[in-house]
Amino acid sequence: MQDKTHLVDEITGHRRMRRNRKADWTRRLVQENRLTVDDLIWPIFVIPGSGIVEPIPAMPGVNRMTVDKAVEAAKEAADLGIPALATFPNIEMELRDATGSNSLEKNNLINLATSAIKKAVPNIGVITDVALDPFTSHGHDGILRGNEIVNDETVEQVMRAAVYQADAGADIIAPSEMMDGRIGAIRRALDAAGHQGVGIMSYATKFSSAFYGPYREAISTGGLLKGDKKTYYIDPANGTEAVRDAALDVEEGADMLMVKPGLPYIDICWRLKEAFGLPTFAYQVSGEYSMIKAAAANGWIDGERVMLETLLAFKRAGCDGILTYFAMDVAKLLAKR
Ligand code: PBG
């Protein structure tokens, strides 16, 4: 007499995937990927002044902080074991101009933040961006001449800004402005200035995305931006082009690669890791963060579980780490386990 079990075994050939899923201990034993605090890079927003922590309405739970408060936050992050911060400045409007000239001020907000953080918390890595958008009156990442974001002149400027950032103590320069040739130019400029030890994390594949909306509110570029960034960011339709763009950055000397945004481009994470084997990071951007927060606030999803699931997805896709606004929440959660 055949029972139901035997009928199933005829099909599965005695292979049953559920054996390894049957208990918490088996599941823990066979778990392939794990999220740890070592995977986290925390992006923070810095504002001028002192003693201020102000919420960003479009990013619930994320604040803009003055340098002194950013130092406190950095200490807290380091105590939790977060390896690195990525800093973004909200520059005073009066200091923004057509060429983003404040990016070349040695003591601008971003460099003040770096030196204060590195002085107080030497063991946390500081990653700085050299894109010009926080500094320009038009919100573009490069210099605008007529209707064009000019490539070579922008590269010339960002490589100089990179040297000032390294002088201030930045450990890794992360150029996000997607100009051609920037990685090689920044590498040569850093080396010439004696900064051989400063790394480059290339925003190798940065897509022309609608997911950056809340970030633009955070650094007040949203209202300024004229047109879009399609002439320098990658078309969301193009995966092979993204791999080619990353290949150039690898050739030019990038130490690490980044994919941005994260979850909608998770195939690119996998492709870059497979193609180059470099340390590869995903930037779970503001819109990704805010969508989870908004749905959770409505009670439509379990925000904590969705947060962990998205971050684990990056690990499964081959990422070595994630830039995420959830970094502190996750670090606290993991510390409790
Ligand atoms: C621009 C820059 C962007 C982000 C960081 N630097 C994109 C943009 O404004 O076009 C987005 C980060 C986020 O959305 O979290 N250099």
Side-chain angles (χ1 to χ4, degrees), residues 168-187:
D171 300 287
I172 294 177
I173 305 296
S176 82
E177 82 310 321
M178 291 298 282
M179 297 298 119
D180 287 320
R182 72 206 197 285
I183 301 299
I186 291 170
R187 185 68 272 159

Side-chain angles (χ1 to χ4, degrees), residues 20 29 54-55 57 92 115 128-129 133 137 147 155 159 161 179 185 188 194 206 223 248 251 268 296 302 305 309:
N20 291 343
L29 209 53
E54 68 183 21
E92 292 112 300
S115 50
T128 53
D129 189 359
D133 57 305
S137 47
N147 284 325
V155 170
M159 68 188 232
M179 297 298 119
R188 281 191 294 278
K206 182 166 183 184
L248 295 176
E251 225 171 90
I268 309 297
D302 178 333
R305 287 185 56 205
E309 190 175 328

Side-chain angles (χ1 to χ4, degrees), residues 44 46 67 70-71 74 85 87 112-122 124 126:
I44 61 168
V46 185
V67 171
V71 168
L85 303 175
T87 52
L112 288 179
T114 302
S115 50
I117 292 169
K118 288 306 294 187
K119 190 165 164 231
V121 200
I124 200 157
V126 172

Side-chain angles (χ1 to χ4, degrees), residues 206 216 226 249:
K206 182 166 183 184
R216 292 182 187 168
K226 292 183 184 68
D249 292 358

Side-chain angles (χ1 to χ4, degrees), residues 140-141 176 178 204-213 216 225 227-238 241-242 260-261 264-265 285:
H140 278 290
D141 292 21
S176 82
M178 291 298 282
T205 64
K206 182 166 183 184
F207 289 87
S208 181
S209 171
F211 283 93
Y212 306 140
R216 292 182 187 168
L225 186 64
D228 56 49
K229 301 189 178 184
K230 288 180 185 168
T231 69
Y232 46 105
Y233 290 178
I234 303 170
D235 186 331
N238 297 351
E241 180 187 329
K260 179 181 179 185
Y265 299 90
V285 300

